[in-house]
Coordinates of all heavy atoms in Angstrom, one line a residue:
M1 N -23.0 -13.2 12.8 CA -22.6 -11.9 12.3 C -21.8 -12.2 11.0 O -20.9 -13.0 11.0 CB -21.7 -11.3 13.3 CG -21.1 -10.0 12.9 SD -20.1 -9.2 14.2 CE -21.4 -8.1 14.8
P2 N -22.0 -11.4 9.9 CA -21.3 -11.6 8.7 C -19.8 -11.2 8.8 O -19.5 -10.2 9.6 CB -22.0 -10.7 7.7 CG -22.8 -9.8 8.5 CD -23.1 -10.4 9.8
R3 N -19.0 -11.8 8.1 CA -17.5 -11.5 8.2 C -17.3 -10.2 7.4 O -17.8 -10.0 6.3 CB -16.7 -12.6 7.6 CG -15.3 -12.4 7.6 CD -14.5 -13.7 7.1 NE -13.2 -13.4 6.8 CZ -12.2 -13.3 7.7 NH1 -12.5 -13.4 9.0 NH2 -10.9 -13.0 7.4
V4 N -16.5 -9.3 8.0 CA -16.2 -8.0 7.4 C -14.9 -8.2 6.7 O -13.9 -8.6 7.3 CB -16.2 -6.9 8.4 CG1 -15.8 -5.6 7.8 CG2 -17.5 -6.8 9.1
T5 N -14.8 -7.8 5.4 CA -13.5 -7.9 4.7 C -12.7 -6.7 5.0 O -13.2 -5.7 5.5 CB -13.8 -8.0 3.2 OG1 -14.4 -6.8 2.8 CG2 -14.6 -9.2 2.8
W6 N -11.4 -6.8 4.8 CA -10.5 -5.7 5.1 C -10.9 -4.4 4.3 O -10.8 -3.3 4.8 CB -9.1 -6.0 4.8 CG -8.7 -6.2 3.4 CD1 -8.7 -7.4 2.7 CD2 -8.3 -5.2 2.5 NE1 -8.3 -7.2 1.4 CE2 -8.0 -5.9 1.2 CE3 -8.1 -3.9 2.5 CZ2 -7.6 -5.2 0.1 CZ3 -7.7 -3.2 1.4 CH2 -7.4 -3.8 0.2
E7 N -11.5 -4.6 3.1 CA -11.8 -3.4 2.3 C -12.9 -2.6 3.0 O -12.9 -1.3 2.9 CB -12.4 -3.8 0.9 CG -11.3 -4.4 0.0 CD -11.4 -5.9 0.0 OE1 -11.9 -6.5 1.0 OE2 -10.9 -6.5 -0.9
Q8 N -13.8 -3.2 3.7 CA -14.9 -2.5 4.4 C -14.4 -1.8 5.6 O -15.0 -0.8 6.1 CB -16.0 -3.5 4.8 CG -16.7 -4.1 3.6 CD -17.6 -5.2 4.0 OE1 -17.3 -6.0 4.9 NE2 -18.7 -5.3 3.3
E9 N -13.2 -2.1 6.2 CA -12.6 -1.4 7.3 C -11.6 -0.4 6.9 O -11.1 0.4 7.8 CB -12.0 -2.5 8.2 CG -12.9 -3.5 8.8 CD -12.2 -4.5 9.7 OE1 -11.2 -4.2 10.3 OE2 -12.7 -5.6 9.7
A10 N -11.3 -0.2 5.6 CA -10.3 0.7 5.2 C -10.7 2.1 5.4 O -11.8 2.5 5.1 CB -10.0 0.4 3.7
R11 N -9.8 3.0 5.8 CA -10.0 4.4 6.0 C -10.3 5.1 4.7 O -11.0 6.1 4.6 CB -8.8 5.1 6.7 CG -8.8 4.7 8.2 CD -7.8 5.5 9.0 NE -8.4 6.8 9.2 CZ -7.8 8.0 9.0 NH1 -6.6 8.1 8.5 NH2 -8.4 9.1 9.2
C12 N -9.7 4.6 3.6 CA -9.8 5.3 2.3 C -11.2 5.3 1.8 O -11.6 6.1 1.0 CB -8.9 4.7 1.3 SG -9.1 2.9 1.0
R13 N -12.1 4.4 2.3 CA -13.5 4.4 1.9 C -14.2 5.7 2.2 O -15.2 6.0 1.5 CB -14.2 3.2 2.5 CG -13.7 1.9 2.0 CD -14.5 0.7 2.7 NE -15.9 0.9 2.6 CZ -16.7 0.3 1.8 NH1 -16.2 -0.6 0.9 NH2 -18.0 0.5 1.8
T14 N -13.7 6.4 3.1 CA -14.4 7.7 3.5 C -13.8 8.9 2.8 O -14.1 10.0 3.1 CB -14.4 7.9 5.0 OG1 -13.0 8.0 5.4 CG2 -15.0 6.8 5.7
H15 N -12.9 8.7 1.8 CA -12.2 9.7 1.1 C -12.4 9.6 -0.4 O -12.7 8.5 -0.9 CB -10.7 9.7 1.4 CG -10.4 10.0 2.9 ND1 -10.3 11.3 3.4 CD2 -10.2 9.2 3.9 CE1 -10.1 11.2 4.7 NE2 -10.0 9.9 5.0
D16 N -12.1 10.6 -1.1 CA -12.2 10.6 -2.6 C -11.2 9.6 -3.1 O -10.0 9.8 -2.9 CB -11.9 12.0 -3.1 CG -12.1 12.1 -4.6 OD1 -12.4 11.1 -5.3 OD2 -11.8 13.2 -5.1
P17 N -11.6 8.6 -3.9 CA -10.7 7.7 -4.4 C -9.6 8.3 -5.3 O -8.5 7.7 -5.4 CB -11.6 6.7 -5.3 CG -13.0 7.0 -4.8 CD -13.0 8.4 -4.2
E18 N -9.9 9.4 -6.0 CA -8.9 10.0 -6.8 C -7.7 10.4 -6.1 O -6.6 10.4 -6.7 CB -9.5 11.3 -7.4 CG -10.6 11.0 -8.5 CD -10.0 10.4 -9.7 OE1 -8.9 10.8 -10.2 OE2 -10.6 9.4 -10.3
M19 N -7.8 10.7 -4.8 CA -6.6 11.0 -4.0 C -5.6 9.9 -4.0 O -4.4 10.2 -4.0 CB -7.1 11.3 -2.5 CG -5.9 11.7 -1.6 SD -6.3 11.8 0.1 CE -7.8 12.7 0.1
F20 N -6.0 8.7 -4.1 CA -5.1 7.6 -4.0 C -4.5 7.2 -5.4 O -3.7 6.3 -5.5 CB -5.8 6.4 -3.4 CG -6.2 6.7 -1.9 CD1 -7.4 7.2 -1.7 CD2 -5.3 6.5 -0.9 CE1 -7.8 7.6 -0.4 CE2 -5.6 6.8 0.4 CZ -6.9 7.4 0.7
F21 N -5.0 7.9 -6.4 CA -4.5 7.6 -7.8 C -4.1 8.9 -8.5 O -4.0 8.9 -9.7 CB -5.5 6.8 -8.6 CG -5.8 5.5 -8.0 CD1 -6.8 5.3 -7.1 CD2 -5.0 4.4 -8.4 CE1 -7.0 4.0 -6.6 CE2 -5.3 3.1 -7.9 CZ -6.3 2.9 -7.0
S22 N -3.8 9.9 -7.8 CA -3.4 11.2 -8.3 C -1.9 11.3 -8.3 O -1.2 10.9 -7.3 CB -4.0 12.3 -7.5 OG -3.6 13.6 -8.0
P23 N -1.2 11.8 -9.3 CA 0.2 11.8 -9.4 C 0.9 12.9 -8.6 O 2.1 12.9 -8.5 CB 0.5 12.0 -10.9 CG -0.7 12.7 -11.4 CD -1.9 12.2 -10.6
G24 N 0.2 13.9 -8.1 CA 0.8 15.0 -7.4 C 1.4 14.6 -6.0 O 0.9 13.8 -5.3
A25 N 2.6 15.3 -5.7 CA 3.3 15.0 -4.4 C 2.4 15.3 -3.2 O 2.4 14.6 -2.3 CB 4.6 15.7 -4.4
R26 N 1.7 16.4 -3.3 CA 0.9 16.8 -2.2 C -0.2 15.8 -1.9 O -0.5 15.4 -0.8 CB 0.3 18.2 -2.4 CG -0.6 18.7 -1.2 CD -1.2 20.0 -1.4 NE -0.2 21.0 -1.6 CZ -0.4 22.3 -1.8 NH1 -1.7 22.7 -2.0 NH2 0.5 23.2 -1.9
T27 N -0.9 15.4 -3.0 CA -2.0 14.5 -2.9 C -1.5 13.1 -2.4 O -2.1 12.5 -1.6 CB -2.7 14.3 -4.3 OG1 -3.1 15.6 -4.7 CG2 -3.9 13.4 -4.1
E28 N -0.3 12.7 -2.9 CA 0.3 11.5 -2.4 C 0.6 11.5 -0.9 O 0.3 10.5 -0.2 CB 1.6 11.2 -3.2 CG 2.2 9.8 -2.8 CD 3.4 9.4 -3.7 OE1 3.2 9.5 -4.9 OE2 4.4 9.1 -3.1
R29 N 1.1 12.6 -0.4 CA 1.4 12.8 1.0 C 0.1 12.6 1.8 O 0.1 12.0 2.9 CB 2.1 14.1 1.3 CG 3.5 14.1 1.0 CD 4.2 15.3 1.6 NE 3.7 16.6 1.2 CZ 4.1 17.2 0.1 NH1 5.1 16.8 -0.7 NH2 3.5 18.4 -0.3
R30 N -1.0 13.2 1.3 CA -2.3 13.2 2.0 C -2.8 11.7 2.0 O -3.2 11.2 3.1 CB -3.3 14.1 1.4 CG -3.0 15.5 1.7 CD -3.9 16.5 1.0 NE -5.3 16.1 1.0 CZ -6.2 16.4 0.1 NH1 -5.9 17.3 -0.9 NH2 -7.4 16.0 0.2
A31 N -2.7 11.0 0.9 CA -3.1 9.6 0.8 C -2.3 8.8 1.8 O -2.9 7.9 2.5 CB -3.0 9.1 -0.6
K32 N -1.0 8.9 1.8 CA -0.1 8.1 2.7 C -0.4 8.4 4.1 O -0.3 7.5 5.0 CB 1.3 8.4 2.3 CG 1.7 7.7 1.0 CD 3.2 8.0 0.7 CE 3.7 7.2 -0.5 NZ 5.1 7.3 -0.7
A33 N -0.8 9.6 4.5 CA -1.1 10.0 5.8 C -2.4 9.2 6.3 O -2.5 8.7 7.4 CB -1.3 11.5 6.0
I34 N -3.3 9.1 5.4 CA -4.5 8.3 5.6 C -4.2 6.9 5.8 O -4.7 6.2 6.8 CB -5.6 8.5 4.5 CG1 -6.1 10.0 4.5 CG2 -6.7 7.5 4.6 CD1 -6.8 10.4 3.3
C35 N -3.3 6.4 5.0 CA -2.9 5.0 5.1 C -2.2 4.7 6.4 O -2.4 3.6 7.0 CB -2.0 4.6 3.9 SG -2.8 4.5 2.3
R36 N -1.4 5.6 6.9 CA -0.6 5.4 8.1 C -1.5 5.1 9.3 O -1.1 4.4 10.2 CB 0.3 6.5 8.4 CG 1.6 6.5 7.7 CD 2.6 7.5 8.2 NE 2.1 8.9 8.1 CZ 2.3 9.7 7.0 NH1 2.9 9.2 6.0 NH2 1.9 10.9 7.0
R37 N -2.7 5.7 9.3 CA -3.7 5.5 10.4 C -4.7 4.5 10.1 O -5.7 4.3 10.9 CB -4.3 6.8 10.7 CG -3.3 7.9 11.2 CD -3.9 9.2 11.7 NE -4.7 9.8 10.6 CZ -4.2 10.7 9.7 NH1 -3.0 11.0 9.7 NH2 -5.1 11.2 8.8
C38 N -4.6 3.7 9.1 CA -5.6 2.7 8.7 C -5.4 1.4 9.4 O -4.3 0.9 9.5 CB -5.5 2.5 7.2 SG -6.8 1.4 6.6
P39 N -6.5 0.8 9.9 CA -6.4 -0.4 10.7 C -6.1 -1.6 9.8 O -5.7 -2.7 10.3 CB -7.7 -0.6 11.4 CG -8.7 0.2 10.5 CD -7.9 1.3 9.9
V40 N -6.3 -1.5 8.5 CA -6.0 -2.6 7.6 C -4.9 -2.3 6.6 O -4.9 -2.9 5.5 CB -7.4 -3.1 6.9 CG1 -8.4 -3.6 7.9 CG2 -8.0 -1.9 6.1
Q41 N -4.0 -1.5 7.0 CA -2.9 -1.1 6.1 C -2.1 -2.3 5.6 O -1.8 -2.4 4.4 CB -2.0 -0.1 6.8 CG -0.8 0.3 5.9 CD 0.1 1.3 6.7 OE1 0.0 1.3 7.9 NE2 0.9 2.0 6.0
R42 N -1.8 -3.2 6.5 CA -1.0 -4.4 6.1 C -1.8 -5.3 5.1 O -1.2 -5.7 4.1 CB -0.7 -5.2 7.3 CG 0.1 -6.4 7.1 CD 0.4 -7.2 8.4 NE 1.1 -8.4 8.2 CZ 2.4 -8.6 8.4 NH1 3.1 -7.6 8.9 NH2 2.9 -9.7 8.2
E43 N -3.1 -5.5 5.3 CA -3.9 -6.3 4.4 C -4.0 -5.6 3.0 O -3.9 -6.3 2.0 CB -5.3 -6.5 4.9 CG -5.3 -7.4 6.2 CD -5.1 -6.7 7.5 OE1 -4.7 -5.5 7.5 OE2 -5.4 -7.3 8.5
C44 N -4.1 -4.3 3.0 CA -4.2 -3.6 1.7 C -2.8 -3.7 1.0 O -2.9 -4.0 -0.2 CB -4.4 -2.1 2.1 SG -4.5 -1.0 0.6
L45 N -1.7 -3.5 1.7 CA -0.4 -3.7 1.0 C -0.2 -5.1 0.5 O 0.2 -5.3 -0.6 CB 0.7 -3.3 2.0 CG 2.1 -3.4 1.4 CD1 2.3 -2.5 0.2 CD2 3.1 -3.1 2.5
L46 N -0.6 -6.1 1.3 CA -0.5 -7.5 0.8 C -1.3 -7.7 -0.4 O -0.8 -8.4 -1.4 CB -0.9 -8.4 1.9 CG -0.7 -9.9 1.7 CD1 0.7 -10.2 1.3 CD2 -1.2 -10.7 2.8
F47 N -2.5 -7.2 -0.5 CA -3.4 -7.3 -1.7 C -2.6 -6.7 -2.9 O -2.6 -7.3 -4.0 CB -4.7 -6.6 -1.5 CG -5.5 -6.5 -2.7 CD1 -6.2 -7.6 -3.2 CD2 -5.5 -5.3 -3.5 CE1 -6.9 -7.5 -4.4 CE2 -6.2 -5.2 -4.6 CZ -6.9 -6.3 -5.1
A48 N -2.1 -5.5 -2.7 CA -1.5 -4.8 -3.8 C -0.2 -5.6 -4.3 O 0.0 -5.7 -5.5 CB -1.1 -3.4 -3.4
L49 N 0.5 -6.1 -3.4 CA 1.7 -6.9 -3.7 C 1.4 -8.2 -4.4 O 2.0 -8.6 -5.4 CB 2.6 -7.2 -2.5 CG 3.2 -5.9 -1.8 CD1 3.8 -6.3 -0.5 CD2 4.2 -5.3 -2.7
E50 N 0.4 -8.9 -3.9 CA -0.1 -10.2 -4.5 C -0.7 -10.0 -5.9 O -0.5 -10.8 -6.8 CB -1.1 -10.9 -3.6 CG -0.4 -11.5 -2.4 CD -1.4 -12.1 -1.5 OE1 -2.6 -11.9 -1.6 OE2 -1.0 -12.9 -0.6
S51 N -1.4 -8.9 -6.1 CA -2.0 -8.6 -7.4 C -1.1 -7.8 -8.3 O -1.5 -7.5 -9.5 CB -3.3 -7.9 -7.2 OG -3.1 -6.6 -6.6
R52 N 0.1 -7.4 -7.8 CA 1.0 -6.7 -8.6 C 0.4 -5.4 -9.1 O 0.6 -5.0 -10.3 CB 1.6 -7.5 -9.8 CG 2.3 -8.8 -9.4 CD 3.7 -8.6 -8.9 NE 4.3 -9.8 -8.5 CZ 5.5 -10.2 -8.6 NH1 6.3 -9.3 -9.2 NH2 5.9 -11.3 -8.2
S53 N -0.3 -4.7 -8.3 CA -1.0 -3.4 -8.6 C 0.1 -2.4 -9.0 O 1.0 -2.2 -8.2 CB -1.8 -2.9 -7.5 OG -2.9 -3.7 -7.2
E54 N 0.0 -1.8 -10.1 CA 1.1 -0.9 -10.6 C 0.8 0.5 -10.2 O 1.7 1.3 -10.1 CB 1.2 -1.0 -12.1 CG 1.7 -2.3 -12.6 CD 1.9 -2.3 -14.1 OE1 2.4 -1.2 -14.7 OE2 1.6 -3.3 -14.8
F55 N -0.4 0.9 -10.0 CA -0.8 2.3 -9.9 C -1.5 2.5 -8.5 O -2.1 1.6 -8.0 CB -1.7 2.8 -11.0 CG -1.1 2.6 -12.3 CD1 -1.5 1.5 -13.1 CD2 -0.1 3.4 -12.8 CE1 -0.9 1.3 -14.4 CE2 0.5 3.2 -14.0 CZ 0.1 2.1 -14.8
G56 N -1.4 3.7 -8.0 CA -2.1 4.1 -6.8 C -1.3 3.9 -5.5 O -0.3 3.2 -5.5
I57 N -1.8 4.4 -4.5 CA -1.3 4.2 -3.1 C -2.1 3.1 -2.5 O -3.3 3.1 -2.4 CB -1.5 5.5 -2.3 CG1 -0.9 6.7 -2.9 CG2 -0.9 5.3 -0.9 CD1 0.6 6.7 -3.2
W58 N -1.3 2.0 -2.2 CA -1.9 0.9 -1.5 C -1.1 0.5 -0.3 O 0.1 0.4 -0.4 CB -1.9 -0.4 -2.5 CG -2.8 -0.2 -3.6 CD1 -2.5 0.3 -4.8 CD2 -4.1 -0.7 -3.7 NE1 -3.6 0.2 -5.7 CE2 -4.6 -0.4 -5.0 CE3 -5.0 -1.4 -2.9 CZ2 -5.9 -0.8 -5.5 CZ3 -6.2 -1.7 -3.3 CH2 -6.7 -1.4 -4.6
G59 N -1.7 0.4 0.9 CA -0.9 0.1 2.1 C 0.1 1.1 2.4 O 1.1 0.8 3.1
G60 N 0.0 2.3 1.9 CA 0.9 3.4 2.2 C 2.1 3.5 1.3 O 3.0 4.3 1.5
L61 N 2.2 2.7 0.2 CA 3.2 2.8 -0.7 C 2.7 3.1 -2.1 O 1.6 2.6 -2.5 CB 4.0 1.5 -0.8 CG 4.7 1.0 0.5 CD1 5.5 -0.3 0.3 CD2 5.7 2.1 1.0
N62 N 3.5 3.8 -2.9 CA 3.1 4.0 -4.3 C 3.6 2.9 -5.2 O 4.3 2.0 -4.7 CB 3.6 5.4 -4.8 CG 5.1 5.6 -4.8 OD1 5.8 4.6 -5.0 ND2 5.5 6.8 -4.6
G63 N 3.3 2.9 -6.5 CA 3.7 1.8 -7.4 C 5.2 1.7 -7.5 O 5.7 0.5 -7.5
R64 N 5.9 2.8 -7.5 CA 7.4 2.7 -7.6 C 8.0 2.0 -6.3 O 8.8 1.1 -6.4 CB 8.0 4.1 -7.8 CG 9.5 4.1 -7.9 CD 10.0 5.5 -8.1 NE 11.5 5.5 -8.1 CZ 12.2 5.5 -7.0 NH1 11.7 5.6 -5.8 NH2 13.5 5.5 -7.1
E65 N 7.5 2.4 -5.2 CA 8.0 1.8 -3.9 C 7.7 0.3 -3.9 O 8.5 -0.5 -3.4 CB 7.3 2.6 -2.7 CG 7.8 4.0 -2.6 CD 7.0 4.9 -1.8 OE1 5.8 4.5 -1.5 OE2 7.5 5.9 -1.4
R66 N 6.5 -0.1 -4.3 CA 6.1 -1.5 -4.3 C 7.0 -2.3 -5.3 O 7.5 -3.4 -5.0 CB 4.7 -1.7 -4.7 CG 3.7 -1.2 -3.6 CD 2.3 -1.6 -3.8 NE 1.8 -1.2 -5.1 CZ 1.2 0.0 -5.3 NH1 1.1 0.9 -4.3 NH2 0.7 0.3 -6.5
R67 N 7.3 -1.7 -6.5 CA 8.2 -2.4 -7.5 C 9.6 -2.6 -6.9 O 10.2 -3.6 -7.1 CB 8.2 -1.6 -8.8 CG 7.0 -1.8 -9.6 CD 7.2 -1.2 -11.0 NE 7.4 0.2 -11.0 CZ 6.5 1.2 -10.9 NH1 5.2 0.8 -10.8 NH2 6.8 2.5 -10.9
L68 N 10.1 -1.6 -6.2 CA 11.4 -1.7 -5.5 C 11.4 -2.8 -4.5 O 12.5 -3.5 -4.3 CB 11.8 -0.4 -4.9 CG 12.2 0.7 -5.9 CD1 12.4 2.0 -5.1 CD2 13.4 0.4 -6.7
L69 N 10.3 -3.1 -3.9 CA 10.3 -4.2 -2.9 C 10.4 -5.5 -3.6 O 11.0 -6.4 -3.0 CB 8.9 -4.2 -2.1 CG 8.7 -3.0 -1.1 CD1 7.3 -3.1 -0.6 CD2 9.8 -3.1 0.0
F70 N 9.9 -5.7 -4.8 CA 9.9 -7.0 -5.4 C 11.3 -7.3 -6.0 O 11.6 -8.5 -6.2 CB 8.9 -7.0 -6.6 CG 7.6 -7.5 -6.1 CD1 6.5 -6.7 -6.1 CD2 7.4 -8.8 -5.7 CE1 5.2 -7.1 -5.7 CE2 6.2 -9.2 -5.2 CZ 5.1 -8.4 -5.3
H71 N 12.1 -6.3 -6.3 CA 13.4 -6.6 -6.9 C 14.2 -7.7 -6.3 O 14.7 -8.6 -7.0 CB 14.2 -5.3 -7.0 CG 15.4 -5.4 -7.8 ND1 15.4 -5.6 -9.2 CD2 16.7 -5.4 -7.4 CE1 16.7 -5.8 -9.6 NE2 17.5 -5.6 -8.5
P72 N 14.4 -7.7 -5.0 CA 15.2 -8.8 -4.4 C 14.6 -10.1 -4.4 O 15.2 -11.1 -4.2 CB 15.4 -8.3 -2.9 CG 14.9 -7.0 -2.8 CD 14.1 -6.7 -4.0
F73 N 13.3 -10.2 -4.7 CA 12.5 -11.4 -4.6 C 12.1 -11.9 -6.0 O 11.3 -12.8 -6.2 CB 11.3 -11.3 -3.8 CG 11.6 -11.0 -2.4 CD1 11.6 -9.6 -1.9 CD2 11.9 -11.9 -1.5 CE1 11.9 -9.3 -0.6 CE2 12.3 -11.6 -0.2 CZ 12.2 -10.3 0.3
A74 N 12.7 -11.3 -7.1 CA 12.4 -11.7 -8.4 C 12.6 -13.2 -8.6 O 13.6 -13.8 -8.2 CB 13.2 -10.9 -9.4
G75 N 11.7 -13.9 -9.2 CA 11.8 -15.3 -9.6 C 11.4 -16.2 -8.4 O 11.6 -17.4 -8.5
T76 N 10.9 -15.7 -7.4 CA 10.4 -16.6 -6.3 C 9.0 -16.3 -5.8 O 8.6 -15.1 -6.0 CB 11.4 -16.5 -5.1 OG1 11.0 -17.4 -4.1 CG2 11.4 -15.1 -4.5
D77 N 8.3 -17.2 -5.3 CA 7.0 -17.0 -4.7 C 7.1 -17.0 -3.2 O 6.1 -16.8 -2.6 CB 6.0 -18.1 -5.2 CG 5.7 -18.0 -6.6 OD1 5.7 -16.9 -7.2 OD2 5.4 -19.1 -7.2
D78 N 8.2 -17.2 -2.6 CA 8.4 -17.2 -1.2 C 8.8 -15.8 -0.7 O 10.0 -15.6 -0.3 CB 9.5 -18.3 -0.8 CG 9.6 -18.5 0.6 OD1 8.6 -18.2 1.3 OD2 10.6 -18.9 1.1
W79 N 7.9 -14.9 -0.7 CA 8.2 -13.5 -0.3 C 7.4 -12.9 0.8 O 7.7 -11.9 1.3 CB 8.1 -12.6 -1.6 CG 6.8 -12.7 -2.3 CD1 6.5 -13.5 -3.3 CD2 5.6 -12.1 -1.9 NE1 5.2 -13.4 -3.7 CE2 4.6 -12.5 -2.8 CE3 5.2 -11.1 -1.0 CZ2 3.3 -12.0 -2.8 CZ3 3.9 -10.7 -0.9 CH2 3.0 -11.1 -1.9
G80 N 6.3 -13.6 1.1 CA 5.3 -13.1 2.0 C 5.7 -12.2 3.2 O 5.7 -11.0 3.1
D81 N 6.2 -12.9 4.3 CA 6.5 -12.1 5.5 C 7.7 -11.2 5.3 O 7.7 -10.1 5.8 CB 6.8 -13.1 6.6 CG 5.5 -13.8 7.1 OD1 4.4 -13.2 7.0 OD2 5.6 -14.9 7.7
E82 N 8.7 -11.7 4.5 CA 9.9 -10.9 4.3 C 9.5 -9.6 3.6 O 10.0 -8.5 3.9 CB 10.9 -11.6 3.5 CG 11.5 -12.8 4.3 CD 10.6 -14.1 4.1 OE1 9.6 -14.1 3.4 OE2 11.0 -15.1 4.8
L83 N 8.7 -9.7 2.6 CA 8.3 -8.5 1.8 C 7.5 -7.5 2.6 O 7.7 -6.3 2.5 CB 7.6 -9.0 0.5 CG 7.5 -8.0 -0.6 CD1 8.8 -7.4 -1.0 CD2 6.8 -8.6 -1.8
I84 N 6.6 -8.0 3.4 CA 5.7 -7.2 4.2 C 6.6 -6.5 5.2 O 6.5 -5.2 5.5 CB 4.6 -8.0 4.9 CG1 3.6 -8.5 3.9 CG2 3.9 -7.1 6.0 CD1 2.9 -7.4 3.1
S85 N 7.5 -7.2 5.8 CA 8.4 -6.5 6.8 C 9.3 -5.4 6.1 O 9.4 -4.3 6.7 CB 9.4 -7.6 7.4 OG 10.3 -7.0 8.2
L86 N 9.8 -5.7 4.9 CA 10.5 -4.7 4.2 C 9.7 -3.5 3.8 O 10.1 -2.4 3.9 CB 11.1 -5.4 2.9 CG 12.1 -4.6 2.1 CD1 13.3 -4.1 2.9 CD2 12.5 -5.4 0.9
A87 N 8.4 -3.8 3.5 CA 7.5 -2.7 3.1 C 7.3 -1.8 4.3 O 7.2 -0.6 4.2 CB 6.2 -3.3 2.6
E88 N 7.1 -2.4 5.5 CA 6.9 -1.6 6.7 C 8.1 -0.7 7.0 O 8.0 0.5 7.4 CB 6.6 -2.5 7.9 CG 5.2 -3.1 7.7 CD 4.9 -4.2 8.7 OE1 5.9 -4.7 9.4 OE2 3.8 -4.7 8.8
Q89 N 9.3 -1.2 6.7 CA 10.5 -0.4 6.9 C 10.6 0.7 5.9 O 10.9 1.9 6.1 CB 11.8 -1.2 6.8 CG 11.9 -2.2 7.9 CD 13.1 -3.2 7.6 OE1 13.9 -2.9 6.7 NE2 13.1 -4.3 8.2
T90 N 10.2 0.4 4.6 CA 10.2 1.4 3.5 C 9.2 2.5 3.8 O 9.5 3.7 3.5 CB 9.8 0.7 2.2 OG1 10.7 -0.3 2.0 CG2 9.8 1.7 1.1
R91 N 8.0 2.2 4.4 CA 7.1 3.3 4.6 C 7.6 4.3 5.6 O 7.4 5.5 5.5 CB 5.8 2.7 5.3 CG 4.8 2.3 4.3 CD 3.5 2.1 5.0 NE 3.5 1.0 5.9 CZ 3.2 -0.3 5.6 NH1 3.0 -0.6 4.3 NH2 3.3 -1.2 6.5
V92 N 8.4 3.9 6.5 CA 9.0 4.8 7.5 C 10.2 5.6 6.9 O 10.3 6.8 7.2 CB 9.6 3.9 8.7 CG1 10.4 4.8 9.7 CG2 8.4 3.3 9.4
Q93 N 10.9 5.0 6.0 CA 12.1 5.6 5.5 C 11.9 6.4 4.1 O 12.7 7.3 3.9 CB 13.2 4.6 5.2 CG 13.6 3.9 6.5 CD 14.5 2.6 6.2 OE1 14.8 2.3 5.1 NE2 14.8 1.9 7.3
A94 N 11.0 5.9 3.3 CA 10.9 6.4 1.9 C 10.4 7.9 1.9 O 9.4 8.2 2.5 CB 10.0 5.5 1.1
P95 N 11.0 8.7 1.1 CA 10.5 10.1 0.9 C 9.3 10.0 -0.1 O 9.3 9.0 -0.9 CB 11.7 10.8 0.3 CG 12.5 9.8 -0.4 CD 12.3 8.5 0.4
V96 N 8.5 11.0 -0.1 CA 7.3 11.0 -1.0 C 7.9 11.4 -2.4 O 8.6 12.4 -2.5 CB 6.3 12.0 -0.6 CG1 5.2 12.1 -1.6 CG2 5.7 11.5 0.8
T97 N 7.5 10.7 -3.4 CA 7.9 11.0 -4.8 C 6.7 11.4 -5.6 O 5.6 10.9 -5.4 CB 8.7 9.8 -5.4 OG1 7.8 8.7 -5.4 CG2 10.0 9.5 -4.7
A98 N 6.9 12.2 -6.6 CA 5.8 12.6 -7.5 C 5.8 11.8 -8.8 O 6.7 11.2 -9.1 CB 5.9 14.1 -7.8

């Protein structure tokens, strides 16, 4: 059986991609709601963090929220588990911004 990558299991594949890159607050809330129920949310967020994706909703966080996660880890490559844990906390606490 061929290995299925996380992208193939992502819930966003069944939705309009524009939703995840639209600047409006309502659209962002809808995109984040889809992410919250995604089985590969963690993998998606890790991809966005590793690739330093600036735009769009990835793993349930927008670009600003992801940049805020990196601030305490500036200048180090040892951020993996700590950053993902912090991101999971941020998803629960962060208000939606436009």
